[in-house]
Amino acid sequence: MKHLAIIPGDGIGKEVIDVGMEVLDAVSEISSFDYDGELFDIGSERYLGTGELLTDEDISSLKKKDAIYFGAIGDPRVKPGILEQGILLKMRAVFDQYINLRPVTSWFPLVPLKREVPFDIHFLRENTEDFYMGAGGTFGGSRKNACVKVRREMYDLEMELKTKSSNNDDFAFEIGLLSRKGITRFADYAFNYAKSRGESDITLVDKANVCTHIYGLQRTIFEEKAEEYGMGLKFMFVDAMAMAMIVRPETFGTVAVPNLFGDILTDLGAQIQGGLGMGGSGNINPKGVSMFEPIHGSAPDIAGQKKANPIAAVLAAQMLLENQGYPEEGMMLHKSVRYCLDNGLTTPDLGGKLTTDEVGKAVCRYILNQKT
Ligand code: NAI
Ligand code: MG
């Protein structure tokens, strides 16, 4: 029995998670997968009513769960940033979900690329370090020592700039930081993940020709790990990767990518696979509580109109099942999505005429028909 936390959130998050739960019910009816889901009212309604975002009580209840199934948050009445920082980013930090898993699968006929070659890229984006945390350089020794060195480097930079320019100017800077510990756990996850998919190598994306410090260290550690796992390692610069995703996406399997570049490449990935409605995502801590969600937001423009495409939420449920040790059940959901696309059982965003619930019913029907 798996204990799941269900956080529908706001807007269409609620509508697609309703479908997702019906789908999980259907799966549990015909397989050994079984679950109980506890609903959490985390989101804008509660925030507007009580001022609460993610409370200590929420956290201690969520900690006891096997996984979190999440819809989306966002409400036009709430200032941008409040819900994201107070709920989503806090959740990722508290549960140390250091891997963001984003599969990019060719969902024909939705793929906008001219060449009709099937592809299945699995992006693993590092979720906690790089340019999204704010400190920097490569150092040995203690954290305190690192801080002293960063300050010294900043001072040197300041002096250099002062002597070079006579006029006053404004300056801003951002530092990317990677740690041996952070890179090591990222590499371990990536090689294990690729291995579990029967692949013999992974691709590491970076910009090691320009940002030599951080991505140099990352390459060194990934090389050590490749040897340890007896697997291959290919390097790609991020700019070349952006092009390759358009002209030869079929040549990639598991792709490890640092935080900032991963943010950008996975959005490109979402588009080449068929759009927002087809994207599932996992925020993973392999030893902790992971969270699975569709990549889209709360879509206030269509909320309450039964137009929301629930497929991304179904694909997020697939990832949840796989992560929890039910790969065959996960594959069943994947095939149910293929069945919907092949038979035009889709919502208006994909050119179909069905409502959110009707697509959900079609998915459930497909699953229940798999009963042996
Ligand atoms: P969005 O993803 O909610 O919507 C973008 C566009 O795509 C809209 O026109 C929407 O109608 C359409 N769309 C999205 N998902 C769809 C689906 N399943 N079926 C059919 N059409 C769909 O992004 P937007 O509009 O930028 O943000 C709306 C709110 O969602 C904001 O408050 C934002 O902060 C939040 N958001 C939350 C996320 C999360 O909870 N992880 C992720 C992205 C945005
Ligand atoms: Mg993004």
Side-chain angles (χ1 to χ4, degrees):
M1 171 76 85
K2 292 291 176 187
H3 304 290
L4 303 185
I6 312 288
I7 309 177
D10 302 324
I12 67 164
K14 293 197 181 93
E15 301 166 35
V16 299
I17 292 299
D18 273 352
V19 167
M21 286 179 70
E22 276 174 31
V23 168
L24 287 176
D25 288 344
V27 171
S28 71
E29 231 174 88
I30 64 148
S31 73
S32 62
F33 171 74
D34 205 3
Y35 83 106
D36 66 46
E38 184 185 347
L39 274 173
F40 288 77
D41 66 344
I42 297 165
S44 64
E45 285 305 333
R46 189 178 80 174
Y47 172 70
L48 289 167
T50 69
E52 290 170 318
L53 291 159
L54 184 68
T55 65
D56 292 344
E57 206 187 342
D58 293 332
I59 292 168
S60 64
S61 306
L62 292 171
K63 262 195 184 135
K64 295 182 197 126
K65 302 296 179 187
D66 292 304
I68 303 168
Y69 189 34
F70 186 89
I73 47 161
D75 187 301
R77 294 170 295 172
V78 181
K79 221 174 96 202
I82 293 180
L83 299 167
E84 289 86 341
Q85 297 204 342
I87 299 176
L88 270 180
L89 296 181
K90 189 169 172 190
M91 193 115 69
R92 282 172 203 169
V94 167
F95 294 112
D96 198 17
Q97 293 159 339
Y98 61 88
I99 299 288
N100 182 226
L101 168 62
R102 292 266 291 257
V104 174
T105 306
S106 48
W107 291 108
F108 295 114
L110 307 173
V111 178
L113 304 178
K114 268 190 185 162
R115 276 168 73 245
E116 287 202 6
V117 181
F119 53 85
D120 191 18
I121 314 176
H122 281 227
F123 277 103
L124 302 173
R125 168 184 167 195
E126 203 288 325
N127 227 0
T128 63
E129 299 197 317
D130 195 42
F131 287 93
Y132 283 10
M133 65 184 286
T138 49
F139 312 96
S142 67
R143 220 181 165 84
K144 188 173 156 218
N145 183 30
C147 291
V148 170
K149 282 206 172 180
V150 169
R151 272 194 222 111
R152 201 170 292 152
E153 301 253 326
M154 281 165 56
Y155 180 78
D156 288 348
L157 189 65
E158 192 186 330
M159 288 302 118
E160 196 186 318
L161 289 169
K162 263 193 187 149
T163 53
K164 273 187 186 161
S165 61
S166 53
N167 55 335
N168 282 329
D169 202 348
D170 290 332
F171 297 98
F173 77 100
E174 201 82 43
I175 293 179
L177 187 128
L178 296 182
S179 67
R180 176 169 284 276
K181 190 175 148 213
I183 299 169
T184 302
R185 67 182 187 175
F186 180 34
D188 278 324
Y189 190 85
F191 284 110
N192 279 318
Y193 183 85
K195 208 174 223 177
S196 75
R197 283 170 47 83
E199 294 165 1
S200 57
D201 61 20
I202 69 165
T203 301
L204 175 65
V205 175
D206 61 24
K207 191 74 187 174
N209 51 343
V210 177
C211 304
T212 53
H213 296 98
I214 55 174
Y215 301 135
L217 180 64
Q218 183 173 251
R219 282 195 176 196
T220 303
I221 294 171
F222 267 75
E223 273 169 339
E224 288 164 13
K225 285 286 168 188
E227 201 160 313
E228 184 183 319
Y229 283 87
M231 291 178 72
L233 175 64
K234 293 183 209 154
F235 297 118
M236 282 291 283
F237 294 134
V238 62
D239 40 359
M241 184 67 190
M243 291 194 285
M245 281 172 67
I246 304 295
V247 297
R248 54 177 181 93
E250 73 281 5
T251 57
F252 300 100
T254 297
V255 177
V257 56
N259 210 340
L260 167 63
F261 298 149
D263 192 1
I264 301 163
L265 290 184
T266 52
D267 272 21
L268 174 59
Q271 285 310 311
I272 64 168
Q273 77 171 346
L276 271 183
M278 303 304 293
S281 148
N283 292 289
I284 296 173
N285 177 339
K287 292 190 185 126
V289 185
S290 301
M291 181 169 90
F292 300 86
E293 57 174 329
I295 61 172
H296 60 72
S298 58
D301 55 333
I302 58 162
Q305 300 172 30
K306 302 183 174 167
K307 283 185 193 162
N309 177 1
I311 287 181
V314 172
L315 293 171
Q318 175 198 340
M319 296 165 71
L320 186 153
L321 287 170
E322 288 170 351
N323 179 269
Q324 293 293 308
Y326 294 89
E328 283 160 27
E329 288 76 3
M331 188 41 70
M332 206 186 286
L333 295 201
H334 194 83
K335 287 182 179 161
S336 75
V337 169
R338 189 66 264 166
Y339 162 81
C340 289
L341 292 185
D342 288 345
N343 293 283
L345 301 168
T346 55
T347 41
D349 58 307
L350 301 184
K353 293 200 178 75
L354 299 194
T355 63
T356 310
D357 293 344
E358 286 166 347
V359 174
K361 295 270 177 299
V363 170
C364 290
R365 212 164 45 234
Y366 177 90
I367 293 165
L368 295 172
N369 277 337
Q370 307 305 304
K371 193 170 183 172
T372 43

